[in-house]
Amino acid sequence: MRGSTISSIRLFAPAKLNLYLRVIGRRPDGYHDLETLFEQIDLADEIALTPQPKGITVSCDDPTLDCGPENLATKAALLLQQTSGIVQGVAIHITKRIPISSGLGGGSSDAATVLLGLNQLWGLQLTTQQLHAFASQLGSDVPFFIEQVAFAIGRGRGDACESLGHNLPTLWHVLVAPKMRLSTQAVYDGFDASRAGRSRESGLTGPAPSLTMCLHALRNGSLGELAEGLLNDLQPEAIRRCPVLTDLHQQLRACGSLGTLTSGSGPSVFGLCRDRSHAQDCLRAFDRSGLQLQLIQIVSTLTNRVSEVRASG
Ligand code: C5P
């Protein structure tokens, strides 16, 4: 019988940035086809999984997080429990550090981390491919976090992931999240192809950004080229819903970052920097006066994920 000999597991659930997000078109199922470049960063929630005789319970240090059946971590645990015929339950505790509904993939990463952790805790021996299939049912960004890689391309809904392998540079950013939250669905619903097209063309002197250009820049460590290639078709709609984003972009440019972008459906914004010391300079120069921020900090590419397993006995 499959079961657990482990008393608890603590895992980090990292956030992501989208360095490039192009909406290709609307699909018959209501979703949008994308071409996106994900980066895993070193801002992370912490997930503790503790076995219990039955039932799935979720708690969080942030009282504003809905820990009920709609929480993606709850859904992930239920999905694995039901499909694997596991009787045992689990208590999931989330320590929230990734701002909620901010375009950084916190909920998706928590769900992926629950899948990865329960696979260990319950001794399910599911392959990455099987975990991927579960992840895809939970949400479009969840499969990226199953990959546990620094960079990946997402196609389809964003769920068809292709890892970019190793030997890519570590990127440094100043990350800013305003207090406001944005619904991913609302931002996609408001997406306007013509507005996104105009935004792609505005102010361009060189070639239009493309995924190929971003990948080339990333592989060569050409940060100037990467800054020019930053693109997010959802940005105009995120700015329309959260006008303070204009000030955040302006501030990040004024403090010397190479380029700025809204991540995912927003409202988090990042400034791309040359290295750690450049990011420190930018952070110092950032004028926060009059801005209601939830978070402002330096983040960088995460290459290794750390988990701690406590065996019983
Ligand atoms: O996949 P996920 O549940 O995270 O998506 C949340 C919402 O965002 C979807 O219900 C859909 O409205 C929108 N979405 C989309 N196209 C995508 C991803 C998300 O339209 N590729």
Side-chain angles (χ1 to χ4, degrees), residues 236-250:
E237 179 61 15
I239 292 178
R240 200 184 67 77
R241 289 175 174 268
C242 185
V244 72
L245 293 191
T246 306
D247 301 332
L248 300 189
H249 280 280
Q250 223 160 33

Side-chain angles (χ1 to χ4, degrees), residues 218-236:
L218 188 64
R219 290 193 172 114
N220 290 309
S222 316
L223 297 178
E225 194 190 342
L226 184 59
E228 279 178 31
L230 297 174
L231 177 123
N232 183 352
D233 278 348
L234 299 176
Q235 184 167 282

Side-chain angles (χ1 to χ4, degrees), residues 1 13 16 21 24 37 42 50 99 116 168 186 191 218 232 243 270 276 287 292:
M1 194 187 100
K16 57 88 182 164
L21 193 160
I24 310 287
L37 174 56
D42 63 353
T50 309
L116 290 164
L168 292 169
F191 163 75
L218 188 64
N232 183 352
F270 62 90
R276 185 203 299 255
D287 181 4
Q292 297 253 315

Side-chain angles (χ1 to χ4, degrees), residues 30-34 108 138-141 156-158 184-185 188-189:
Y31 280 83
H32 293 78
D33 274 321
L34 309 178
S108 301
L138 293 165
S140 307
D141 286 347
R157 283 190 291 134
T184 304
Q185 183 172 355
Y188 271 103
D189 284 349

Side-chain angles (χ1 to χ4, degrees), residues 28-292:
D29 63 5
Y31 280 83
H32 293 78
D33 274 321
L34 309 178
E35 202 175 53
T36 188
L37 174 56
F38 291 111
E39 177 194 5
Q40 180 179 255
I41 56 169
D42 63 353
L43 168 69
D45 289 343
E46 217 178 290
I47 307 284
L49 302 175
T50 309
Q52 59 187 16
K54 57 179 185 160
I56 310 284
T57 50
V58 177
S59 59
C60 181
D61 64 335
D62 181 342
T64 68
L65 185 77
D66 176 0
C67 291
E70 285 310 305
N71 186 297
L72 273 188
T74 318
K75 287 186 177 176
L78 272 173
L79 185 62
L80 268 200
Q81 194 193 39
Q82 283 163 3
T83 52
S84 312
I86 289 281
V87 184
Q88 198 180 40
V90 67
I92 302 170
H93 183 73
I94 304 171
T95 306
K96 256 283 154 226
R97 299 204 185 90
I98 306 170
I100 299 166
S101 299
S102 66
L104 298 172
S108 301
S109 185
D110 292 350
T113 305
V114 166
L115 292 179
L116 290 164
L118 288 182
N119 193 30
Q120 255 184 291
L121 190 75
W122 289 341
L124 300 176
Q125 297 184 331
L126 296 169
T127 62
T128 304
Q129 210 179 355
Q130 287 170 309
L131 289 171
H132 233 279
F134 287 124
S136 192
Q137 288 180 51
L138 293 165
S140 307
D141 286 347
V142 185
F144 166 64
F145 295 106
I146 294 290
E147 295 287 322
Q148 304 185 78
V149 289
F151 298 97
I153 298 169
R155 292 201 167 85
R157 283 190 291 134
D159 61 334
C161 274
E162 182 192 328
S163 300
L164 288 182
H166 304 286
N167 301 323
L168 292 169
T170 295
L171 302 180
W172 291 86
H173 316 273
V174 173
L175 177 64
V176 186
K179 283 238 164 89
M180 197 175 161
R181 294 178 182 181
L182 282 178
S183 142
T184 304
Q185 183 172 355
V187 173
Y188 271 103
D189 284 349
F191 163 75
D192 175 342
S194 62
R195 203 149 21 101
R198 277 199 302 280
S199 130
R200 262 181 235 145
E201 283 151 22
S202 64
L204 282 176
T205 47
S210 66
L211 184 59
T212 311
M213 174 177 168
C214 282
L215 293 177
H216 182 265
L218 188 64
R219 290 193 172 114
N220 290 309
S222 316
L223 297 178
E225 194 190 342
L226 184 59
E228 279 178 31
L230 297 174
L231 177 123
N232 183 352
D233 278 348
L234 299 176
Q235 184 167 282
E237 179 61 15
I239 292 178
R240 200 184 67 77
R241 289 175 174 268
C242 185
V244 72
L245 293 191
T246 306
D247 301 332
L248 300 189
H249 280 280
Q250 223 160 33
Q251 268 302 321
L252 282 168
R253 275 195 298 269
C255 71
S257 62
L258 303 174
T260 69
L261 196 70
T262 306
S263 182
S265 52
S268 294
V269 174
F270 62 90
L272 177 67
C273 299
R274 273 190 302 278
D275 50 28
R276 185 203 299 255
S277 124
H278 181 215
Q280 285 165 338
D281 291 344
C282 288
L283 182 63
R284 266 193 297 273
F286 190 97
D287 181 4
R288 304 172 200 203
S289 50
L291 295 172
Q292 297 253 315

